[in-house]
Amino acid sequence: MPPLLKDSAVLVAIITVSGGVVGTLISTISNFFIGKRDNEVKQGQQEIIQSLDVLKKDNIKIKSDLASNTAELEKLKKNSKDITRYRLFHDMTKDIIAGYTTLENKREIAKLFDSYKMLDGNGEIEMMYKEEFIDLPLRKDNNHEINKRTI
């Protein structure tokens, strides 16, 4: 054994220095891996934030499209109700003036009236249907042709 290793003060100094070097080395290595992990976590967080921003923008666009579609749907509903109202008024008036209707007309007007009610139609047409048209006597349509007056 070398003579320096026999001296306890030297041994203590070597162990102290070695411990400091090893401790510093362990600390440096652990800080490296901790820093690397922290950078990966930060990068992952940034990717998540970017993805959330994209989703937020998509959500805003979807809400805008939905509002636009709702407005268009309301316009279509109103137009459909107006057309149905006109058709019901025209066809029921013709039969009320004639004083009768056919079974086929009654069925078709009943279907059209149900559609009109689903479109929130009411008022004059409902009163005309329930108080005048529904009670019209039925006659058999002998022509089996389209009545030119109904078009």
Side-chain angles (χ1 to χ4, degrees):
M1 184 184 298
L4 283 178
L5 293 179
K6 291 181 183 177
D7 186 0
S8 63
V10 173
L11 279 176
V12 170
I14 290 173
I15 291 172
T16 304
V17 170
S18 301
V21 169
V22 170
T24 303
L25 184 60
I26 290 171
S27 176
T28 304
I29 291 172
S30 64
N31 284 340
F32 171 77
F33 286 112
I34 290 172
K36 186 175 180 182
R37 190 194 70 209
D38 285 349
N39 286 339
E40 289 172 354
V41 168
K42 286 179 184 176
Q43 184 180 0
Q45 288 174 336
Q46 283 301 112
E47 290 173 4
I48 290 170
I49 289 170
Q50 288 172 349
S51 295
L52 288 173
D53 285 342
V54 168
L55 289 174
K56 184 179 178 182
K57 289 175 186 172
D58 286 350
N59 189 33
I60 290 169
K61 183 175 180 343
I62 289 169
K63 284 182 178 180
S64 172
D65 290 349
L66 181 60
S68 175
N69 288 348
T70 301
E72 287 299 314
L73 186 59
E74 284 300 316
K75 288 179 192 175
L76 288 172
K77 181 180 174 183
K78 183 185 180 323
N79 289 340
S80 183
K81 183 172 84 172
D82 290 347
I83 291 168
T84 304
R85 181 198 179 286
Y86 174 81
R87 189 68 206 193
L88 281 167
F89 183 81
H90 179 269
D91 289 353
M92 288 192 300
T93 298
K94 179 190 75 65
D95 287 353
I96 290 167
I97 289 172
Y100 72 94
T101 190
T102 65
L103 184 58
E104 181 180 345
N105 277 357
K106 192 168 235 176
R107 285 181 185 154
E108 292 303 314
I109 287 177
K111 290 179 202 174
L112 199 56
F113 182 74
D114 288 342
S115 294
Y116 180 70
K117 292 295 288 178
M118 283 191 294
L119 294 168
D120 298 326
N122 57 23
E124 180 184 2
I125 295 299
E126 184 173 5
M127 189 170 65
M128 184 179 196
Y129 178 78
K130 289 181 176 180
E131 293 181 12
E132 296 181 57
F133 179 79
I134 204 75
D135 293 329
L136 284 176
L138 295 177
R139 288 199 187 163
K140 188 173 183 178
D141 190 4
N142 294 331
N143 297 342
H144 298 295
E145 292 180 14
I146 296 175
N147 186 339
K148 302 293 188 230
R149 287 179 34 197
T150 63
I151 297 179

